[in-house]
Amino acid sequence: MSLPPTAGTRPAPAGQPEQGPAPRKRLHWSLRIVLGLFGILFGVVAMAALGVTFIVALTYPKLPDLDTLTDYRPKIPLRIFSADGVLIGEFGEERRNLVHFKDIPEIMKKAVLAIEDDRFYEHGGVDYQGIARATFSNLSGGSGGASTITQQVARNFFLTSNEPTFLQKATRKFFYEIPLAWKIENNLSKDQILEVYMNQIYLGQRAYGFASAAQIYFGKQLKELSIAESAMLAGLPKAPSAYNPVVNPKRAHARQQYILLRMRQLGYITEAQFQEARDEKLRVKGDSSAFGMHAEYVAEMARQLVYSQYKDETYTRGLNVFTTITKTDQDAAYIALRRGIIDYERRHGYRGPEGYMDLPEGTREVVEDAIEVELADHPDSDDMIAAVVTEAKPKEITAVLATGEEITIAGSGLGFGANLLSDKAPPQKRIRRGAIIRVFQDGKNWIITQMPEVESAFVSVNSQDGAIRSLVGGFDFNRNKFNHVTQAWRQPGSSFKPFIYSSSLEKGLSPATVINDAPLTFTQTGGQVWQPKNYGGKFEGPISMRRALQKSINLVSIRILERVGVKYAQEYITRFGFDADKNPPYLTLALGAGAVTPLQMVGAYSVFANGGYKISPYLITKVTDANGAVLSQARPATADDESNRVIDARNAFIMDSMLRDVVRHGTAVKAMSLKRTDLAGKTGTTNDSMDAWFAGYQPGLTAIAWIGYDQPKSLGDRETGGGLSLPVWISYMSKVLKDVPNVDRKVPDGVIESAGEYYYAEYPPAAMVRDLGMGERAGLTPEEEKAKTQMKNELF
């Protein structure tokens, strides 16, 4: 019995033996290739998966903790504000404003996503297609990058080095950056990642984060930016220098236009919004360090005060310092002081160009480039701009600014420089081609000016508590950081006389006391003769103290000091805050030959303004941390606290009446142009007109103006405090007292009035003596006889 054929065998024909297995049917060659490629791809994927698993297993445990992200506390600089909230200074390596995600405008977020990572909310932290593109670009000799926002956060926080070669970059990216990005994505939400990025990224000009960049480039808060401005800032992260709108406006504009187009393509903005933003003319701040007002000396003072307490934390902790100054007061003081100095400079003639340069031959671009390089050493001083003369004619100058703008100066614009256009002018002063001059613009006209050599100071305080309302320590902080308000020890001249007069009231003298204005001669130790003189060299003869102060008569002040005693006077002036050792006990003290600072003077005159109380000028009202918590608060001495009284209320009242008369009838009569009845003050001019002062006040506000050279020398024979510093004071007061009502002072107890004059009650005008030209009364009472004897002694 035969068995059936086995599977795979072919049955043999009848009478033949069985054949072997049937041959298999071969796959088509194309199918075999596809299957082979699939196998290779599968193998590569498997190897990649194993590689990724290996990388994660190897590097993940070694990745840094994310505490700096989950508890994000960036370095926030010290910021100084005015009393009305205007930013006036910022100190720190990083200029940054921390802003929370909910407070970032949607259009700013979209502008960033459009150019940096439009799939941010879709991927898991890594854009694999982008990595492939970047790898191919680098291998082919180009440059490219596909880092997502998450990867940039990882790199900015934890990977600080910049690897120079492609291999090193690839190693860092795959072994550190990508695993870090995954870790960040697993620990933070997308909104948190984007918030960190928009606060941390560097955007040029020392700006970190978009809120800070908005302030630095446009002077705006983030919420105030337009679409066009947002797109401009969004272009900065890739290359903050290359796309900086201040340094490279053309490249920045091109990138901004591309970002706007991307925003339109992605549907982030409408066609109408795109067209409007594309055509918007942006106003970028040329000086990215400029603040809301010129208060550089104030900001530096505040910085020093805060640093003395918080040391190195000062610049990273996010401290906010609120000062006492106001924008109205500070602007008025800054403008008044600069105008006064410029007026002085114009009165004293043009000194000539600041320097000369050799202009190269060649195209206009070559010339402009050379000018730009040269003028880098001649920075602008606010509106006073440096320019290089390219052509000089007797009645016209053509010059080029650092920006490349060509200007023409003619007619009245030549001003005091016109005489140096002549061929006969001294070669070292002549305005010619290549001369570096200083100009400013008045409307459409350009005018020649010059940087001053003279210096200045202005300070004003609330006379009731000492809060500094304005402070200008010099003409230009960037040229001279020496603060003349706090650091300049100068002779006060005649502005010191009121303190000598005040001391005499405590010794029984009165404004009606008659003093003989006559020559005096003193022989000093060593036989040297001193013969003090009055300004102008004239003598008035017998004159009341009130009139003598109005006319600022030197000889009367000296005789008063003789009567009071120099030791007593030296001790007495310390009540006002002056240093005894800087005001030695000599008769020259009567003429202000000691040394004071403008800050001391403003505190001292406030004693007369507030009725006899010593106040201490102060600058900072409070310091807060980055969250607004108050760390320290000022508690100033005030004029309503009797423990702060340093002179009798009667003394302050009578001195005030005398100083008001200086304004009404004396050397400060120009101040009557303000049409007020409550102004008081005193001019001051030192020997040879080396210092010019005006110290004055309204009952609520005291202000001091000073002008002089750092290396003391004469300001000019005809220059006085009344001609130089008083106009500065008037200009300031005209702005800040505009809506302030006049204040009348009440006569305090213990003061009597007789024939229009004030006296202490214990020193009444009981008798006048013949020597004073008032006749002689008979039958005097013992009290009147005593007064008569005293009055005789007062004529000396």
Side-chain angles (χ1 to χ4, degrees):
M1 182 175 171
S2 61
L3 294 175
T6 60
T9 63
R10 289 179 295 174
Q16 296 183 11
E18 284 188 7
Q19 300 180 7
R24 293 182 181 178
K25 187 176 181 179
R26 292 173 64 87
L27 294 175
H28 191 272
W29 63 270
S30 61
L31 182 59
R32 291 200 304 272
I33 292 174
V34 170
L35 290 174
L37 290 173
F38 179 78
I40 292 172
L41 180 63
F42 179 80
V44 169
V45 170
M47 289 178 65
L50 288 173
V52 169
T53 303
F54 174 75
I55 291 171
V56 171
L58 182 66
T59 63
Y60 207 87
K62 299 179 181 179
L63 293 178
D65 292 333
L66 301 184
D67 292 345
T68 52
L69 291 180
T70 56
D71 187 21
Y72 181 53
R73 295 182 181 180
K75 293 179 180 179
I76 302 178
L78 169 70
R79 289 193 175 89
I80 317 293
F81 296 91
S82 68
D84 36 5
V86 178
L87 181 65
I88 61 174
E90 191 173 51
F91 300 91
E93 293 181 7
E94 302 176 1
R95 302 164 75 176
R96 190 195 307 274
N97 289 316
L98 183 62
V99 58
H100 296 295
F101 185 81
K102 63 182 177 61
D103 298 321
I104 303 174
E106 282 300 314
I107 199 65
M108 187 72 253
K109 298 173 190 173
K110 289 177 178 177
V112 171
L113 294 176
I115 191 62
E116 289 296 325
D117 191 356
D118 60 277
R119 295 182 58 251
F120 174 70
Y121 282 95
E122 299 170 16
H123 61 64
V126 180
D127 185 349
Y128 302 103
Q129 295 177 2
I131 290 174
R133 287 196 306 271
T135 301
F136 178 79
S137 176
N138 280 288
L139 286 172
S140 60
S143 62
S147 293
T148 64
I149 283 176
T150 310
Q151 287 175 264
Q152 291 183 57
V153 170
R155 186 165 60 243
N156 290 335
F157 272 88
F158 304 108
L159 306 173
T160 58
S161 60
N162 293 315
E163 288 74 11
T165 68
F166 166 73
L167 182 60
Q168 289 174 317
K169 290 180 181 178
T171 300
R172 185 189 69 176
K173 184 177 288 289
F174 285 101
F175 281 89
Y176 295 100
E177 189 176 299
I178 290 176
L180 262 175
W182 291 334
K183 186 173 183 178
I184 291 170
E185 291 271 348
N186 288 332
N187 286 273
L188 275 74
S189 69
K190 286 288 189 179
D191 288 353
Q192 287 175 314
I193 296 170
L194 188 57
E195 176 183 317
V196 169
Y197 174 82
M198 297 191 73
N199 279 290
Q200 181 69 17
I201 195 71
Y202 178 63
L203 300 172
Q205 306 292 124
R206 291 179 37 237
Y208 287 79
F210 286 91
S212 179
Q215 179 65 45
I216 290 167
Y217 289 106
F218 297 111
K220 295 182 177 181
Q221 295 184 39
L222 201 55
K223 63 183 179 182
E224 298 172 334
L225 294 180
S226 66
I227 295 174
E229 291 167 335
S230 298
M232 179 65 80
L233 296 185
L236 289 168
K238 183 177 181 180
S241 296
Y243 299 121
N244 186 322
V246 176
V247 180
N248 295 304
K250 290 182 180 179
R251 295 176 72 177
H253 176 73
R255 184 160 176 81
Q256 177 228 26
Q257 294 294 302
Y258 173 68
I259 293 172
L260 289 172
L261 179 61
R262 287 286 298 150
M263 293 175 73
R264 177 69 190 98
Q265 292 171 343
L266 293 168
Y268 293 164
I269 57 176
T270 66
E271 180 65 26
Q273 288 175 317
F274 169 69
Q275 296 291 343
E276 181 181 355
R278 186 185 63 181
D279 298 335
E280 182 179 334
K281 302 295 183 184
L282 301 186
R283 292 188 175 183
V284 179
K285 288 170 60 178
D287 181 3
S288 64
S289 64
F291 295 99
M293 69 179 90
H294 282 284
E296 296 87 350
Y297 290 98
V298 173
E300 175 59 16
M301 282 179 63
R303 182 197 68 80
Q304 293 179 16
L305 290 168
V306 174
Y307 183 80
S308 66
Q309 182 173 353
Y310 295 97
K311 304 303 179 186
D312 290 342
E313 277 193 339
T314 299
Y315 309 119
T316 60
R317 190 174 170 181
L319 300 176
N320 297 306
V321 180
F322 294 88
T323 65
T324 54
I325 69 165
T326 69
K327 179 171 173 56
T328 298
D329 284 79
Q330 187 66 19
D331 285 349
Y334 177 80
I335 292 170
L337 196 63
R338 283 179 69 94
R339 184 177 298 158
I341 294 299
I342 291 171
D343 287 346
Y344 169 82
E345 289 288 326
R346 296 188 73 83
R347 286 200 303 272
H348 288 266
Y350 189 52
R351 295 186 299 273
E354 295 181 15
Y356 297 92
M357 69 172 290
D358 294 325
L359 291 174
E361 299 296 331
T363 64
R364 178 170 178 173
E365 289 186 358
V366 171
V367 174
E368 288 179 356
D369 287 346
I371 288 174
E372 182 179 1
V373 171
E374 180 66 30
L375 292 185
D377 294 328
H378 299 265
D380 296 344
S381 176
D382 200 359
D383 57 349
M384 299 174 70
I385 303 168
V388 174
V389 175
T390 55
E391 186 178 11
K393 300 176 182 178
K395 294 186 178 181
E396 184 180 273
I397 293 174
T398 303
V400 175
L401 308 179
T403 59
E405 180 184 355
E406 187 175 84
I407 63 172
T408 300
I409 311 165
S412 60
L414 298 174
F416 62 177
N419 63 323
L420 294 182
L421 285 166
S422 169
D423 291 337
K424 296 180 181 179
Q428 71 275 17
K429 291 186 177 182
R430 188 158 61 90
I431 300 176
R432 55 174 173 79
R433 178 177 167 83
I436 301 168
I437 61 174
R438 190 71 55 166
V439 297
F440 71 94
Q441 192 170 21
D442 184 11
K444 294 182 178 180
N445 300 320
W446 288 94
I447 300 172
I448 290 181
T449 185
Q450 65 185 0
M451 293 301 294
E453 293 180 345
V454 72
E455 268 299 350
S456 53
F458 189 91
V459 60
S460 64
V461 304
N462 181 327
S463 55
Q464 302 303 307
D465 66 359
I468 297 174
R469 288 176 50 174
S470 69
L471 186 150
V472 185
F475 185 82
D476 185 339
F477 178 80
N478 294 317
R479 292 175 67 237
N480 187 352
K481 292 178 172 56
F482 185 81
N483 189 336
H484 296 84
V485 170
T486 60
Q487 296 176 287
W489 290 92
R490 308 292 295 214
Q491 290 189 353
S494 297
S495 62
F496 199 75
K497 290 174 181 175
F499 307 105
I500 304 301
Y501 277 63
S502 174
S503 70
S504 74
L505 298 183
E506 299 304 311
K507 292 291 188 176
L509 278 64
S510 76
T513 299
V514 176
I515 309 294
N516 191 19
D517 176 26
L520 281 170
T521 300
F522 299 93
T523 301
Q524 300 173 316
T525 303
Q528 188 176 0
V529 176
W530 177 47
Q531 291 182 310
K533 305 238 185 284
N534 291 326
Y535 183 78
K538 297 182 180 180
F539 300 96
E540 296 283 337
I543 187 173
S544 71
M545 282 175 51
R546 182 178 291 275
R547 285 286 295 154
L549 188 61
Q550 290 173 26
K551 303 183 75 156
S552 196
I553 297 176
N554 290 340
L555 274 297
V556 170
S557 294
I558 293 171
R559 291 179 188 272
I560 291 174
L561 182 55
E562 274 193 308
R563 173 62 183 271
V564 169
V566 290
K567 286 288 188 182
Y568 174 79
Q570 184 192 38
E571 182 280 326
Y572 185 83
I573 63 170
T574 62
R575 303 184 188 188
F576 297 87
F578 297 119
D579 296 344
D581 60 343
K582 290 188 178 293
N583 295 275
Y586 305 121
L587 288 177
T588 52
L589 185 65
L591 307 182
V596 301
T597 66
L599 191 65
Q600 284 184 330
M601 288 289 278
V602 79
Y605 267 80
S606 292
V607 176
F608 296 139
N610 64 32
Y613 300 90
K614 178 69 177 71
I615 53 92
S616 298
Y618 71 100
L619 184 64
I620 296 175
T621 55
K622 66 178 179 180
V623 177
T624 69
D625 64 16
N627 297 317
V630 176
L631 302 178
S632 62
Q633 186 109 28
R635 293 176 177 79
T638 58
D640 55 1
D641 184 350
E642 283 299 317
S643 66
N644 298 322
R645 178 173 293 284
V646 290
I647 64 172
D648 194 309
R650 300 174 301 172
N651 189 309
F653 175 82
I654 293 175
M655 285 306 306
D656 175 71
S657 76
M658 296 173 73
L659 290 169
R660 290 193 185 202
D661 273 358
V662 173
V663 172
R664 293 190 188 103
H665 313 294
T667 56
V669 72
K670 289 180 183 177
M672 289 302 293
S673 62
L674 295 174
K675 296 179 169 53
R676 297 184 67 94
T677 61
D678 57 352
L679 302 179
K682 182 70 185 72
T683 54
T685 310
T686 61
N687 279 347
D688 299 322
S689 298
M690 291 187 180
D691 298 88
W693 295 80
F694 184 74
Y697 59 86
Q698 183 266 355
L701 179 66
T702 307
I704 306 294
W706 168 86
I707 293 174
Y709 288 96
D710 278 341
Q711 297 299 320
K713 67 177 183 178
S714 177
L715 292 161
D717 291 340
R718 297 184 179 181
E719 298 292 359
T720 64
L724 265 178
S725 296
L726 177 58
V728 174
W729 188 91
I730 292 172
S731 175
Y732 167 78
M733 287 293 191
S734 68
K735 302 292 193 305
V736 300
L737 295 181
K738 188 174 181 181
D739 299 317
V740 178
N742 276 282
V743 177
D744 293 324
R745 294 179 74 156
K746 295 181 179 179
V747 180
D749 293 339
V751 173
I752 59 175
E753 183 178 2
S754 176
E757 191 54 274
Y758 298 107
Y759 304 85
Y760 278 19
E762 61 266 35
Y763 301 120
M768 293 296 145
V769 297
R770 189 181 198 89
D771 293 341
L772 302 183
M774 300 297 296
E776 186 170 356
R777 294 177 56 187
L780 299 180
T781 65
E783 290 77 11
E784 290 175 326
E785 285 287 358
K786 181 179 178 180
K788 173 181 174 180
T789 302
Q790 177 181 329
M791 292 294 286
K792 282 183 177 179
N793 291 334
E794 288 169 3
L795 182 60
F796 49 85

